[in-house]
Amino acid sequence: PSEEVGDAIFDVCGRFYSEQRAYFEAEEEHEAKQKLDKLIFLADRALSEDPSEEGFRYERTRICRKFGFDDAEWNRRVERVGAPFYRELLATVSKDPGAVSSRDLSAVGDQLGLSEDTRTRMKLEELRRLVSASLEASGAKLTPSQVEKLRAVSGSLGVPEEQYRTVIEDAVAPAYSFAVNEAFSELEASETDNSANLLGKLALRQQELDLTTAGANRLEAEAAQKRASSLITGALTNLRSQNTKGAADALRSLTRFAERVSAFVRAAGKVAQDAEESSVMEVYFGGVAKSVTPAEATNLYRVFLMEKAEEKALDRLRQLTGVTEADAEKAYEEVAGPIYRSKLLEAVGAGTDSFPATVKASLKELEASLGLPAAVTERYR
């Protein structure tokens, strides 16, 4: 705009400010505040026609000083007026993806003075609204025709594939997580391995929700870790109340659950059939160790040892809770050592300096069964 136009706009804004100033400073709402937004919007749109960025900034700064605005407040008021018009256009795209192109949307966004960040946010909001409405209309799933329309709308909105996938997976995550939790509950309760049946159910649910394999794996791992952490919390609660049996029972449930999930993961082909158990633990239970301190983890391992847990279960617990091999060996010696000492005293009597052949054989057998290092048994002797 020419200098005369800039001066005219400034004069209009000045007179409006003088007439309505009292309403601007009041706490209660008044139509003058809404009129001010519209005035700023119109001023911005008119001034933006200036081919000189410097000229536009000069005129905007003059008006901002008059109203006590900074640049951010000016932009907020412009977008507050322009956003509803843009939102209506986005709703039109949702109804008919072919009605408006992404180029048209860009042009309208420019005319309304909306920033790129605001446009992107509004597009994603509209896409989320449409996905939510689609899920509700079809009973918590997405039909092929709905997926086709969502992709068409996403294309017309100019939403990149990565952002489209994020919107879809955020929307369907609760439904898939619910299905996973139900499947894992069946895994725990079943007397036999029913992985194949559960795999079929989850595969169907994944397809119904247009969920990627990577997204499904992530939600399954989150559910597994949440359940494992819950069982660890139960074991710790029992341990603090000196209920070692209750703690051991919770740990058995934990290691059994991990074993079943491991079988499920292998059956699903998410890891190689001959993959190390530690690989499965890392993928599906990698974050579980964060729910317990090193001292708590060692105490739980010690309790499980005292309850004569199987070696595989002990190793699985160690991997789940992050107990180091050194701490595991130390805990084992602390638990098994006294057993050896008790049997030693029982066999030869306290203070005995020599061992008959039969006693030596019995002790050797005990040492082998306990798996104690020679240095430990020598110390007790």
Side-chain angles (χ1 to χ4, degrees):
S2 65
E3 184 177 342
E4 291 77 11
V5 172
D7 288 341
I9 293 174
F10 179 76
D11 182 57
V12 169
C13 290
R15 284 190 282 110
F16 182 79
Y17 177 76
S18 298
E19 295 170 1
Q20 307 292 335
R21 179 177 180 178
Y23 299 117
F24 302 153
E25 297 174 352
E27 292 185 4
E28 61 271 11
E29 285 299 318
H30 192 276
E31 63 177 355
K33 295 182 179 181
Q34 297 177 359
K35 289 180 179 179
L36 175 58
D37 285 351
K38 294 177 181 177
L39 177 62
I40 296 300
F41 174 79
L42 293 173
D44 180 86
R45 295 298 80 213
L47 294 173
S48 67
E49 296 296 321
D50 194 324
S52 166
E53 179 68 20
E54 183 179 347
F56 168 73
R57 288 185 177 278
Y58 170 76
E59 297 295 349
R60 183 178 66 177
T61 300
R62 282 209 299 168
I63 299 173
C64 280
R65 286 176 179 171
K66 171 65 68 174
F67 288 101
F69 293 165
D70 57 15
D71 288 351
E73 178 63 20
W74 174 281
N75 292 332
R76 276 195 293 272
R77 289 178 180 275
V78 170
E79 294 194 343
R80 201 149 55 202
V81 174
F85 296 104
Y86 196 68
R87 189 172 290 111
E88 287 182 12
L89 187 60
L90 295 178
T92 299
V93 176
S94 290
K95 293 177 181 177
D96 180 5
V100 184
S101 68
S102 58
R103 181 178 297 180
D104 293 335
L105 281 175
S106 179
V108 173
D110 290 341
Q111 293 170 1
L112 293 173
L114 301 177
S115 69
E116 286 297 332
D117 286 346
T118 297
R119 298 181 212 183
T120 298
R121 175 179 55 78
M122 294 181 69
K123 289 175 183 178
L124 294 178
E125 286 175 354
E126 178 60 24
L127 187 57
R128 291 189 191 99
R129 185 199 65 76
L130 184 58
V131 173
S132 178
S134 299
L135 286 168
E136 184 175 354
S138 58
K141 64 181 180 180
L142 295 174
T143 65
S145 60
Q146 285 176 326
V147 172
E148 183 180 358
K149 181 178 180 180
L150 287 171
R151 284 204 166 274
V153 169
S154 179
S156 294
L157 293 177
V159 174
E161 175 66 17
E162 183 178 354
Q163 291 183 334
Y164 169 79
R165 289 307 328 168
T166 298
V167 169
I168 292 293
E169 298 195 1
D170 285 349
V172 304
Y176 191 72
S177 293
F178 180 81
V180 171
N181 287 328
E182 283 196 328
F184 283 172
S185 294
E186 287 187 45
L187 272 180
E188 284 189 84
S190 178
E191 294 296 328
T192 58
D193 181 8
N194 59 344
S195 298
N197 181 42
L198 297 178
L199 280 172
K201 290 181 180 179
L202 288 180
L204 176 60
R205 199 71 182 107
Q206 179 184 337
Q207 182 180 11
E208 289 177 340
L209 295 170
D210 190 32
L211 187 62
T212 63
T213 299
N217 290 348
R218 176 178 58 81
L219 294 172
E220 289 163 13
E222 288 177 1
Q225 292 187 33
K226 185 176 181 180
R227 177 55 181 158
S229 296
S230 174
L231 289 168
I232 288 176
T233 298
L236 287 172
T237 300
N238 280 297
L239 190 59
R240 293 187 187 107
S241 62
Q242 298 183 341
N243 181 3
T244 54
K245 183 181 182 305
D249 288 343
L251 294 175
R252 286 193 184 89
S253 295
L254 170 65
T255 55
R256 185 171 181 271
F257 173 65
E259 180 183 10
R260 289 290 178 85
V261 170
S262 177
F264 168 84
V265 170
R266 293 176 192 278
K270 299 177 187 292
V271 299
Q273 287 292 334
D274 58 351
E276 295 289 335
E277 185 70 9
S278 58
S279 299
V280 180
M281 292 296 104
E282 180 60 32
V283 172
Y284 270 65
F285 297 99
V288 173
K290 297 177 182 178
S291 66
V292 59
T293 68
E296 289 173 335
T298 301
N299 285 337
L300 290 175
Y301 187 83
R302 188 179 292 110
V303 166
F304 215 29
L305 270 171
M306 293 172 65
E307 292 295 320
K308 301 178 181 179
E310 294 182 358
E311 184 177 349
K312 285 186 177 180
L314 282 166
D315 190 52
R316 194 168 281 116
L317 176 64
R318 184 182 66 76
Q319 294 179 47
L320 284 166
T321 57
V323 174
T324 64
E325 291 187 8
D327 285 342
E329 289 179 7
K330 183 179 179 182
Y332 186 78
E333 290 178 12
E334 290 174 352
V335 172
I339 296 175
Y340 178 79
R341 181 175 182 276
S342 176
K343 293 295 183 182
L344 178 64
L345 294 177
E346 179 183 322
V348 302
T352 300
D353 295 325
S354 59
F355 302 103
T358 54
V359 173
K360 286 183 179 181
S362 176
L363 288 175
K364 284 290 184 183
E365 185 179 342
L366 181 59
E367 291 169 16
S369 65
L370 290 176
L372 287 170
V376 176
T377 58
E378 187 64 29
R379 184 169 69 246
Y380 280 114
R381 290 192 184 192

